[in-house]
């Protein structure tokens, strides 16, 4: 089966601006301002048909230059295998007030190999304090591919209003540890040689009384010890009651409260003055505290092109913040200067999840951020280094088969053809009388009005994204209240699978079953002089016949989740590569030579040799 979709190649920027303005007006029920909306639209000259919601009719019409793209059954990528993988796990908040604002933002999942057997495990978070409810759950993968609940054995059945999870080896002993953010709290757990976890929060010096959301782990000062960055949200007042335009009780929005200062905790493991697991709050002296904001997503990478780790925050209804590392322990906020604070027409949106990849293969990493249903998600491409441009329009991402409020998102090469694709999960934050009532039966009654369907896009290799949601019924036919989304190669076949963590319905696991996949190479980059830990923040370049496939080693992206830290590089038809080069933390570049495709390799700093 093939669905023919005609896509607009060139829509004037003013049309894009008009479309944004009109949808904002309509979304806010400002009917009496309809004439001003219409007037602005007429100035643009035409209605942007390419962004109207007509894809379910089989064709999107547009005027001007067109391109026909075939969407076929080979674009069936995802199969729901949840029941074959994990037992039912539902994150259903148990606060006495169902409209307690933290209930609406969800919780994530941590992907890690707890026992270093080469198989990725899953740690799910809940928002519950009741002793009658199960807490967080750890599922450990077995050699036969199944998962076993090992929560009690690893002492991780915690209760609290947990949101985000970070994974990293914080004490350089070779075992990945856990950092959990929660409403008015933070906790850290030491991995005891793959046998259990120990709560070391009390001795760590980690204190965060704010509302912590996503967390990222990186070595920002290049001292060989991983540091912790937390995106704090708003100064929420639980006594404030909010209502819908109809007068019904509803969740409050971020506009009702001021934004919080983000947190940066420096790992003191390399100071020689302390033992392991002690951190110093350097949020003030680093400059982060001077620029608060309603942070939801956070990614710690080199955004400026100077080789130093910068800190990027996706802010809800406020301009994003990009703290550029000055190399002396301080940061300067430069999101506006570098073009990534707002979209191409100067709008600050409800920014949630963050995807990172080189979507146009120019050797520079690009940024995708999800927004509200009434907004357009935004893709910023990088070029020249450190400068970002909103390219949402020309990449086809204004065309959506349906609209949803997206949170978790993955920008990665799912069919390993060498081009980064896109998946996002949707879930409303307001009840919607005009919703598409295609929710799953398992969604709890209270949350059904918030359920929305997930979406997927294929990168056509020519600078555009083609939506393939309708070709993936397991992923997109019925809705959940989507929040967290993590990428992980569960079966080590080189194809990224997905784990979704909704509110009020069971978690979902999707196996990548794309039939028309390219060749690939999977890469683990490790630091042998630092306990053999993953070299988070490293840049990996795979070179094939002069072409460079660039990726980055990190796990703290999307929304509230810690993802598979291994790099999977799609090589398309190439059966071998000419070289793999790694730019390690500290900016040292190392070459590892040629190899054959379709397998995982390990790259150890200083060895110059590929380890199978």
């Amino acid at each position: 089966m093939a669905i023919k979709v005609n896509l607009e190649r060139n829509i004037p920027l003013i049309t894009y601006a008009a479309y944004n303005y009109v949808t904002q007006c309509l979304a806010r029920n400002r009917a009496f301002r309809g004439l001003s909306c219409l007037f602005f639209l007429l100035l643009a000259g035409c209605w942007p048909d390419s962004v109207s919601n007509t894809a379910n009719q089989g064709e999107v019409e547009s005027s001007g230059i067109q391109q026909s793209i075939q969407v076929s059954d080979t674009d069936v990528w995802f199969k729901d295998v949840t029941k074959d993988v994990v037992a039912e796990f539902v994150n259903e908040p148990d606060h006495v007030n169902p409209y307690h604002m933290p209930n609406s933002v969800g919780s994530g999942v941590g992907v890690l190999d707890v026992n270093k057997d080469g198989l990725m495990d899953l740690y799910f978070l809940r928002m519950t304090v009741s002793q009658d409810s199960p807490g967080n759950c750890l599922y450990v993968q077995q050699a036969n591919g199944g998962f076993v609940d090992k929560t009690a054995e690893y002492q991780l059945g915690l209760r609290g209003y947990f949101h985000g999870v970070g994974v990293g080896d914080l004490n350089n002993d070779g075992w990945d540890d856990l950092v959990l953010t929660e409403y008015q709290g933070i906790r850290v757990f030491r991995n005891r040689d793959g046998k259990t976890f120990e709560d070391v929060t009390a001795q760590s010096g980690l204190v965060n009384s704010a509302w912590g959301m996503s967390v990222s782990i990186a070595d920002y000062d290049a001292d060989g010890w991983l540091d912790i960055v937390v995106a704090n949200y708003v100064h929420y007042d639980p006594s404030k009651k909010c209502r819908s335009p109809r007068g019904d009780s509803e969740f409050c929005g971020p506009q009702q409260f001021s934004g919080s200062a983000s947190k940066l905790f420096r790992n003191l493991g390399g100071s020689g003055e302390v033992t392991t697991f002690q951190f110093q709050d350097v949020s003030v002296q680093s400059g982060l505290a001077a620029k608060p904001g309603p942070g939801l997503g956070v990614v710690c990478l080199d955004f400026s092109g100077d080789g130093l780790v910068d800190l990027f925050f996706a802010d809800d209804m406020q301009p994003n913040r990009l703290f550029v590392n000055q190399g002396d322990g301080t940061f300067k906020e430069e999101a506006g200067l570098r073009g990534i604070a707002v979209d191409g027409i100067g709008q600050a949106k409800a920014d949630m999840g963050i995807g990172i990849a080189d979507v146009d293969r120019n050797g520079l990493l690009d940024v995708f951020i999800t927004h509200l249903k009434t907004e357009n998600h935004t893709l910023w491409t990088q070029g020249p280094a450190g400068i970002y441009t909103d390219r949402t329009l020309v990449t086809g991402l204004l065309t959506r088969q349906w609209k949803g409020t997206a949170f978790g998102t993955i920008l990665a090469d799912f069919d390993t053809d060498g081009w980064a694709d896109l998946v996002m999960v949707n879930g409303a934050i307001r009840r919607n009388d005009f919703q598409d009532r295609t929710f799953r039966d398992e969604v709890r009654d209270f949350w059904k009005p918030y359920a929305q369907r997930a979406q997927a896009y294929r990168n056509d290799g020519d600078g555009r994204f083609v939506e393939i949601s309708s070709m993936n019924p397991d992923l997109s036919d019925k809705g959940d209240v989507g929040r967290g989304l993590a990428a992980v190669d569960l079966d080590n076949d080189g194809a990224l699978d997905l784990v979704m963590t909704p509110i009020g319905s069971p978690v979902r696991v999707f196996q990548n079953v794309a039939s028309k996949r390219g060749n690939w190479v999977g890469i683990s980059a490790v630091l042998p002089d630092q306990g053999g830990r993953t070299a988070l923040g490293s840049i990996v370049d795979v070179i094939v016949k002069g072409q460079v496939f660039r990726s980055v080693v990190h796990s703290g992206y999307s929304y509230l989740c810690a993802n598979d830290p291994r790099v999977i590089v799609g090589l398309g038809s190439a059966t071998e590569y000419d070289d793999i080069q790694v730019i390690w933390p500290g900016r040292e570049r190392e070459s590892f030579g040629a190899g054959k495709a379709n397998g995982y390799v390990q790259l150890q700093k200083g060895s110059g040799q590929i380890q199978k």
Side-chain angles (χ1 to χ4, degrees), residues 34-275:
L35 288 178
S36 65
C37 292
L38 180 60
F39 175 72
F40 192 94
L41 184 60
L42 290 174
L43 287 178
C46 64
W47 178 266
D49 288 323
S50 64
V51 294
S52 61
N53 189 16
T54 59
N56 286 331
Q57 300 172 16
E59 190 171 17
V60 177
E61 299 290 347
S62 63
S63 58
I65 302 173
Q66 297 179 347
Q67 181 187 35
S68 295
I69 298 174
Q70 296 297 317
V71 182
S72 70
D73 53 9
T74 60
D75 292 315
V76 179
W77 287 0
F78 302 108
K79 177 184 178 182
D80 190 334
V81 295
T82 308
K83 293 181 179 179
D84 299 327
V85 175
V86 297
E88 182 174 288
F89 177 94
V90 181
N91 177 26
E92 188 168 17
D94 62 9
H95 196 276
V96 292
N97 174 17
Y99 293 100
H100 183 58
M101 190 177 172
N103 291 1
S104 69
V105 297
S107 303
V109 58
V111 173
L112 72 162
D113 184 358
V114 295
N115 51 12
K116 295 203 298 187
D117 63 353
L119 302 172
M120 290 296 169
D121 312 304
L122 303 173
Y123 183 52
F124 293 102
L125 306 187
R126 272 194 178 101
M127 288 181 286
T128 179
V129 294
S130 172
Q131 294 301 312
D132 296 328
S133 300
N136 300 343
C137 282
L138 173 68
Y139 293 97
V140 176
Q141 189 171 179
Q142 307 300 295
N144 63 2
F147 284 72
V148 175
D149 185 343
K150 295 279 190 176
T151 308
E153 178 180 334
Y154 281 86
Q155 301 184 45
L156 288 174
L158 315 169
R159 292 175 176 83
Y161 284 97
F162 292 105
H163 295 298
V165 54
V167 172
D169 181 4
L170 298 172
N171 63 337
N172 289 352
D173 67 348
W175 300 91
D176 277 336
D177 310 301
L178 289 168
V179 178
L180 309 182
T181 64
E182 57 187 319
Y183 177 60
Q184 299 181 326
I186 185 171
R187 303 194 210 180
V188 60
F189 292 83
R190 178 181 180 179
N191 187 335
R192 285 287 190 180
D193 301 330
K195 298 180 176 63
T196 190
F197 280 82
E198 174 190 4
D199 187 340
V200 292
T201 308
Q203 74 182 59
S204 71
L206 294 173
V207 177
N208 185 31
S209 60
W211 182 357
M213 293 298 295
S214 296
V215 57
S216 189
I217 295 177
D219 183 7
Y220 82 91
D221 53 0
D223 67 348
W225 297 83
L226 292 174
D227 312 297
I228 300 170
V229 184
V230 176
N232 283 329
Y233 194 28
V234 295
H235 294 290
Y236 174 54
D237 179 1
S239 68
K240 187 174 182 62
K241 307 301 179 185
C242 296
R243 297 190 178 277
S244 71
R246 296 173 51 181
D248 301 323
S249 294
E250 188 54 279
F251 292 108
C252 293
Q255 305 96 320
Q256 309 292 327
F257 314 100
S258 60
S260 298
S262 301
K263 286 287 189 178
L264 174 59
F265 298 99
R266 179 173 178 264
N267 194 330
L268 298 178
S271 67
E273 302 172 357
V274 297
T275 57

Side-chain angles (χ1 to χ4, degrees), residues 209-470:
S209 60
W211 182 357
M213 293 298 295
S214 296
V215 57
S216 189
I217 295 177
D219 183 7
Y220 82 91
D221 53 0
D223 67 348
W225 297 83
L226 292 174
D227 312 297
I228 300 170
V229 184
V230 176
N232 283 329
Y233 194 28
V234 295
H235 294 290
Y236 174 54
D237 179 1
S239 68
K240 187 174 182 62
K241 307 301 179 185
C242 296
R243 297 190 178 277
S244 71
R246 296 173 51 181
D248 301 323
S249 294
E250 188 54 279
F251 292 108
C252 293
Q255 305 96 320
Q256 309 292 327
F257 314 100
S258 60
S260 298
S262 301
K263 286 287 189 178
L264 174 59
F265 298 99
R266 179 173 178 264
N267 194 330
L268 298 178
S271 67
E273 302 172 357
V274 297
T275 57
T276 58
F277 283 101
Q278 290 197 18
F279 294 81
Q280 177 187 8
D281 186 343
V282 294
S283 308
V284 174
Q285 51 266 55
S286 66
L288 264 67
K291 299 285 185 179
L296 286 175
V298 59
V299 169
C300 300
L301 295 173
D302 176 16
F303 284 84
S304 61
D306 62 359
L308 302 176
V309 173
D310 309 308
L311 317 178
F312 178 74
F313 296 90
D315 288 330
D316 195 1
M317 304 299 291
Q318 294 292 329
N320 301 315
R321 292 165 294 157
L322 173 59
F323 292 92
V324 176
N325 196 331
Q326 303 300 296
D328 58 0
T330 66
F331 294 80
K332 289 184 179 180
E333 203 289 302
E334 297 182 359
L337 179 66
R338 297 180 180 275
I340 202 168
V342 294
D343 69 10
I345 59 174
Q347 286 188 333
K349 297 179 177 178
D351 294 354
M352 273 84 86
I354 308 173
I356 303 287
D358 181 6
V359 300
D360 50 8
R361 292 244 303 263
N362 68 344
L364 299 170
L365 297 172
D366 310 307
V367 180
F368 176 80
I369 296 183
T370 56
H371 306 305
L372 292 173
K373 174 181 179 179
T374 54
E375 301 169 332
N376 293 306
H377 311 308
T378 309
L379 173 66
W380 288 271
T381 60
Q382 186 179 178
I387 302 299
Y388 296 82
T389 303
D390 180 351
R391 302 285 290 175
T392 312
L393 176 63
V394 297
T395 53
L397 288 172
L398 292 188
T399 302
R400 287 189 272 170
Q401 293 179 356
W402 56 82
K403 286 198 163 190
T405 293
F407 282 82
T409 185
I410 305 296
L411 197 60
D413 187 0
F414 289 102
D415 58 353
T416 56
D417 66 348
W419 298 92
D421 311 297
L422 176 65
V423 177
M424 65 189 86
V425 293
N426 297 328
I429 58 171
R430 298 282 189 275
R431 290 175 179 264
N432 186 350
D433 291 338
F434 302 101
Q435 67 172 359
D436 183 358
R437 296 185 179 277
T438 53
F439 47 77
R440 286 198 297 150
D441 294 338
E442 296 91 338
V443 178
R444 306 312 195 240
D445 287 343
F446 175 85
W447 293 102
K448 285 179 179 177
Y450 301 90
Q452 295 175 341
R453 292 174 288 167
Q455 292 173 277
Y457 289 78
R458 171 172 56 83
N459 189 328
D460 71 355
D462 192 29
R464 294 183 62 85
F465 287 86
V466 183
E467 186 166 6
I468 57 172
S469 303
S470 60

